[in-house]
Structure formats: C-alpha cells, structure tokens
C-alpha cells in the first residue's frame, strides 16, 4: 500500500484523522494485518482543517490528581522506546517533570489526589522541598507554601509532530495506506461506509473517527452529533538566546498551580526546545481563551491562522515572568491551539454506529497518552476483549 492520493480506495478499516490518536490507532490496526486507509492532511491545506497545535513539545508525566489519566500516560510511556526503535524516529526527551501544588489546607488544592494517584501508579515519585527546588532550578520563583513532586525519566517532553511521523512510519511498514486528504462526508454503504474526500473516496467495512475538534465542526463526516466542546487556547513562546541556554540546562516540564491570579489558576511550562526557525523557545499555556468562540470550520481556520488571543497572551507573559524573572526582556510570540473536551473529562473511545467508532476529545491531556488511546480504540474496532485497568464505561459517549 503506502502513500496514496486522489482515487477510490478500498479498505477493511478507514481511520479519519491522522493526528496523535489517529496515527496510533491506524498503526495498531495495520499491525493486526487489516487493510487500513488513514485519511489526514498537512498544515496549510485548502480545506482549512488544522491539527490541535503545530508545535515541537508537549509534556509527558504521571503526576496527576486523576488515576485514569495517570494510567493512560503510564501505558503510553512504557512504549515510547519501542516506537522509537521500530520507526527509527526519536520524539521523546526524558528531562523529567516538576509538579507544583497548592498546600493541603488550601480549598483548591489537588495535592491529596496527586499523592493518592502516585501511590497507585508510580511509587518512586517523592515530594521535595522548596529549598531543594531552588537549588536545582535557581531561575524559578515559587510561593513559599508551594508543595513539589519531581518525577524522573521517562517523564519529560515529547515532540508531537515526530511522534506522529513515528506512528505513520510503523503503520506504513505494516501495509497501511495514508491518504493526504480531508474527509468531507460519510454515508452508509451496505454494512460498511463510503467516505468522500477532497480528492477521491474510500470504501471501508469499518470506520474509526479520530477527528478532534472537527468531530464537532464537521457533522457531514460524523454520523451522530458528538457531545464535545471546543476550547481555543493561546500559548506563549519566549525566546531563549544562545547566551541564556546554559541557564536552563536540565529544566523539566512543569505543571504549576497557584492562587495569585484572578483568571488563570494554573499553567504548564515546557523547557527550551529548538523550533524550525533555528531558535529555542520556552512555552507556557494555561486555561482557554474566554474571549474567543469557535463554532464553524471557517472560524477555526481563521483562529488557527491568527496569533490567538491577545488577552490570553498578556496574562501568560505576566505568569511566565513571575515564575522566571530572567525572561522579562525576552522576545515573545503567541500561537493558537484548539482543545476538545468531553462531558466526562476523558476521551470518547466508543462505538457510535454500526461498524463505526470514535476516539476523540483529548481534554487537553491526550498527547502524552495518545499511543494508549489509539491502542484502546483499535481494540474496540478489532472486537478484542477490554483489558484495561479502568471500566469501558469511563470512555462511553454521553449525549
């Protein structure tokens, strides 16, 4: 099989969406010997369809107040090295993770849940003091009462674009067809499905939809209305000059919870990463853009071609320079991001029609866990027994 373009393609399974989840699911289906047609497109396509965010780094960690997300991450992390070996494409930097929580007596503290989850999923993550954090990372400034956990390798960061390339490489080597295209419409064809694309069509016995935001915005592709909400989220990048790079040596990914900002209760910060422009940037993101609404593909396209929310960017700059004062004079730029949330706070991994399944709604947490989410969705399509630590009902689609 391999790459394909405008034509009529027949497959056992068509996977719509070649992002982090779709590329993983298609890989697992192809490794089972099925004829898989994966439909996905690149940045700048004429249909105005975008990935959640075209960037170079996402945090991977287990420390979480939610054991389900911790288990999803743990299962995915355990396979990072295998994916790199099978594909020959590196995407994982095990630089560790630092979680900063409000103290136990704070009404918004998640610390007790974090500790309980860690005891269930990973016992080698231990609390560290403010003094130890200051010694390890002297450029960071936290409130005195902040409570910390440092999580060692394999936590750190993943490059989402390279992870997708790795999954695609493995899928292609197992006979998968990859159509660089956009699905525009699906309809039942006997017991199977006909998928109209921008350049041709696909006929498949089974259909798996991994469309993220577009599961809400493209009703002609999804056979039932999906109970998803779209949250635009601006991220801010601060340049780290060559002279400053040594300052941030061994910087981990960070989740930072605080109570001194009226609109942003937390932020995530990634260490310096080299971008295609040849510069290194530290990234910060937080809550979603409350001044922007996305309800159509055209509005999503307009937003994703913008610099995001200027209001959010201003707040993020204040948060970043509060945490890292040495970046107060750094060059900054903002970028847009589209997050998709479900009612449950967990991804939908469920059968939604006869011979049609959905795996979407990452809730801003799925990049690190995408291999496991893809594996679980592939298992459903294949009709395999559910072999997870968590109930299948956790991932049901609820209208």
């Amino acid at each position: 099989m391999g790459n394909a373009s405008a034509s009529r393609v027949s497959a056992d399974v068509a996977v719509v969406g070649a992002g982090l989840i779709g590329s993983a699911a298609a890989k697992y289906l192809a490794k089972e010997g099925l004829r898989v047609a994966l439909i996905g497109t690149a940045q700048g396509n004429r249909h105005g369809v975008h990935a959640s965010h075209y960037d170079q780094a996402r945090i991977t960690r287990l420390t979480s107040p939610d054991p389900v997300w911790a288990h999803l991450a743990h299962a995915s992390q355990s396979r990072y090295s295998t994916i790199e070996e099978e594909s020959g494409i590196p995407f994982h930097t095990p630089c560790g993770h630092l979680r900063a929580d409000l103290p136990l007596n704070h009404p918004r503290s998640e610390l007790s849940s974090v500790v309980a989850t860690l005891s269930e999923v990973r016992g080698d993550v231990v609390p560290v003091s403010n003094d130890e954090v200051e010694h390890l990372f002297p450029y960071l400034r936290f409130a005195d009462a902040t409570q910390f956990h440092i999580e060692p390798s394999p936590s750190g960061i993943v490059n989402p674009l390279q992870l997708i390339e790795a999954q695609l490489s493995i899928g292609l080597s197992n006979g998968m067809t990859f159509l660089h295209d956009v699905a525009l419409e699906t309809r039942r064809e006997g017991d199977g499905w006909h998928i109209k694309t921008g350049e041709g069509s696909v006929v498949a016995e089974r259909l798996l939809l991994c469309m993220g935001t577009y599961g809400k915005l493209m009703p002609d592709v999804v056979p039932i209305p999906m109970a998803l909400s779209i949250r635009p989220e601006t991220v801010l990048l601060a340049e780290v000059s060559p002279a400053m790079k040594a300052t941030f040596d061994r910087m981990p990914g960070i989740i930072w919870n605080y109570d001194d900002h009226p609109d942003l209760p937390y932020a995530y910060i990634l260490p310096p990463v080299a971008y295609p422009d040849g510069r290194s940037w530290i990234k910060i993101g937080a809550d979603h853009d409350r001044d922007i609404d996305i309800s159509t593909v055209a509005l999503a396209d307009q937003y994703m071609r913008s610099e995001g929310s200027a209001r959010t960017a201003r707040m993020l700059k204040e948060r970043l320079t509060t945490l890292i004062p040495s970046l107060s004079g750094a060059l900054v730029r903002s970028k847009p991001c589209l997050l998709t949330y479900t009612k449950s706070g967990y991804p939908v991994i469920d059968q939604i029609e006869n011979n049609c399944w959905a795996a979407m709604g990452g809730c801003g947490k799925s990049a690190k866990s995408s291999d496991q989410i893809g594996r679980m969705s592939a298992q459903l399509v294949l009709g395999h027994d559910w072999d997870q630590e968590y109930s299948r009902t956790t991932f049901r689609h609820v209208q």
Side-chain angles (χ1 to χ4, degrees), residues 90-114:
F91 62 85
H92 174 221
T93 302
C95 59
H97 179 72
L98 174 66
R99 183 177 175 101
D101 277 295
L102 294 165
L104 277 172
N105 60 359
H106 193 283
R108 288 198 291 105
S109 178
E110 296 178 323
L111 184 57
S112 61
S113 297
V114 168

Side-chain angles (χ1 to χ4, degrees), residues 147-208:
Q147 305 294 298
F148 300 101
H149 287 84
I150 290 183
E151 187 176 327
S153 171
S155 293
I157 58 176
V158 293
N159 182 314
L161 299 178
Q162 290 177 203
L163 174 52
I164 290 170
E165 286 300 316
Q167 303 284 34
L168 292 177
S169 175
I170 299 170
L172 289 169
S173 69
N174 282 274
M176 179 186 79
T177 295
F178 181 29
L179 293 97
H180 297 270
D181 207 344
V182 174
L184 301 177
E185 179 184 322
T186 62
R187 69 172 187 269
R188 297 295 299 272
E189 193 167 273
D191 289 332
W193 292 89
H194 179 276
I195 302 99
K196 177 185 176 183
T197 71
E199 306 294 337
S201 63
V202 178
V203 177
E205 296 175 10
R206 286 167 276 184
L207 176 62
L208 174 60

Side-chain angles (χ1 to χ4, degrees), residues 85-145:
E85 290 168 7
E86 289 186 11
S87 67
I89 299 173
F91 62 85
H92 174 221
T93 302
C95 59
H97 179 72
L98 174 66
R99 183 177 175 101
D101 277 295
L102 294 165
L104 277 172
N105 60 359
H106 193 283
R108 288 198 291 105
S109 178
E110 296 178 323
L111 184 57
S112 61
S113 297
V114 168
V115 172
T117 297
L118 284 173
S119 66
E120 178 180 336
V121 179
R122 183 171 183 174
D124 63 341
V125 180
V126 295
V128 293
S129 69
N130 203 318
D131 288 344
E132 289 173 289
V133 169
E134 184 175 351
H135 173 73
L136 290 168
F137 315 113
Y139 44 85
L140 300 178
R141 297 289 182 270
F142 293 100
D144 290 341

Side-chain angles (χ1 to χ4, degrees), residues 124-394:
D124 63 341
V125 180
V126 295
V128 293
S129 69
N130 203 318
D131 288 344
E132 289 173 289
V133 169
E134 184 175 351
H135 173 73
L136 290 168
F137 315 113
Y139 44 85
L140 300 178
R141 297 289 182 270
F142 293 100
D144 290 341
T146 306
Q147 305 294 298
F148 300 101
H149 287 84
I150 290 183
E151 187 176 327
S153 171
S155 293
I157 58 176
V158 293
N159 182 314
L161 299 178
Q162 290 177 203
L163 174 52
I164 290 170
E165 286 300 316
Q167 303 284 34
L168 292 177
S169 175
I170 299 170
L172 289 169
S173 69
N174 282 274
M176 179 186 79
T177 295
F178 181 29
L179 293 97
H180 297 270
D181 207 344
V182 174
L184 301 177
E185 179 184 322
T186 62
R187 69 172 187 269
R188 297 295 299 272
E189 193 167 273
D191 289 332
W193 292 89
H194 179 276
I195 302 99
K196 177 185 176 183
T197 71
E199 306 294 337
S201 63
V202 178
V203 177
E205 296 175 10
R206 286 167 276 184
L207 176 62
L208 174 60
L209 302 171
C210 305
M211 300 170 60
T213 294
Y214 298 93
K216 179 77 170 181
L217 298 181
M218 300 180 75
D220 288 342
V221 180
V222 185
I224 67 169
M226 297 296 294
L228 304 170
S229 62
I230 300 169
R231 300 186 189 179
E233 180 188 323
T234 296
V235 300
L236 189 78
L237 301 177
E239 185 182 13
V240 176
S241 67
M244 295 179 66
K245 286 188 71 173
T247 301
F248 301 104
D249 189 31
R250 294 186 294 276
M251 179 177 172
I254 300 169
I255 298 290
W256 175 31
N257 297 280
Y258 44 79
D259 64 356
D260 61 342
H261 194 283
D263 295 308
L264 301 179
Y266 75 96
Y268 59 88
I269 303 94
L270 289 100
V273 171
Y275 276 67
D277 60 6
R279 300 174 176 181
S280 292
W281 302 83
I282 285 178
K283 182 173 76 172
I284 181 172
D287 206 355
H288 64 285
D289 302 330
R290 299 180 184 276
D291 56 334
I292 294 175
D293 179 59
I294 302 294
S295 56
T296 65
V297 172
L299 287 173
D301 182 37
Q302 179 183 351
Y303 173 73
M304 291 299 288
R305 294 179 187 275
S306 74
E307 295 180 351
S309 165
R311 174 181 178 271
T312 302
R314 287 192 297 270
M315 291 190 291
L316 290 172
K317 184 177 181 181
E318 183 276 330
R319 288 287 80 193
L320 184 61
T321 54
T322 295
L323 180 66
I324 311 176
S326 59
L327 292 177
S328 59
L331 174 69
V332 297
R333 67 184 189 189
S334 57
K335 298 182 71 174
C337 182
L338 287 173
L339 306 181
T340 311
Y341 279 74
T342 64
K343 288 184 175 180
S344 67
Y346 304 119
V348 168
I349 309 172
D350 199 9
Q351 184 168 0
I352 59 172
E353 278 281 349
N354 184 39
N355 285 333
C356 179
W357 293 260
M360 59 181 88
C363 304
K365 302 178 180 70
S366 65
K368 64 185 180 298
S369 306
S370 57
D371 189 72
Q372 177 66 359
I373 297 170
R375 178 180 179 272
M376 291 161 62
S377 60
Q379 285 184 313
L380 288 185
V381 173
L382 291 162
H384 289 178
D385 292 337
W386 188 261
D387 63 353
Q388 312 304 326
E389 298 90 343
Y390 15 78
S391 168
R392 183 172 170 180
T393 59
T394 302

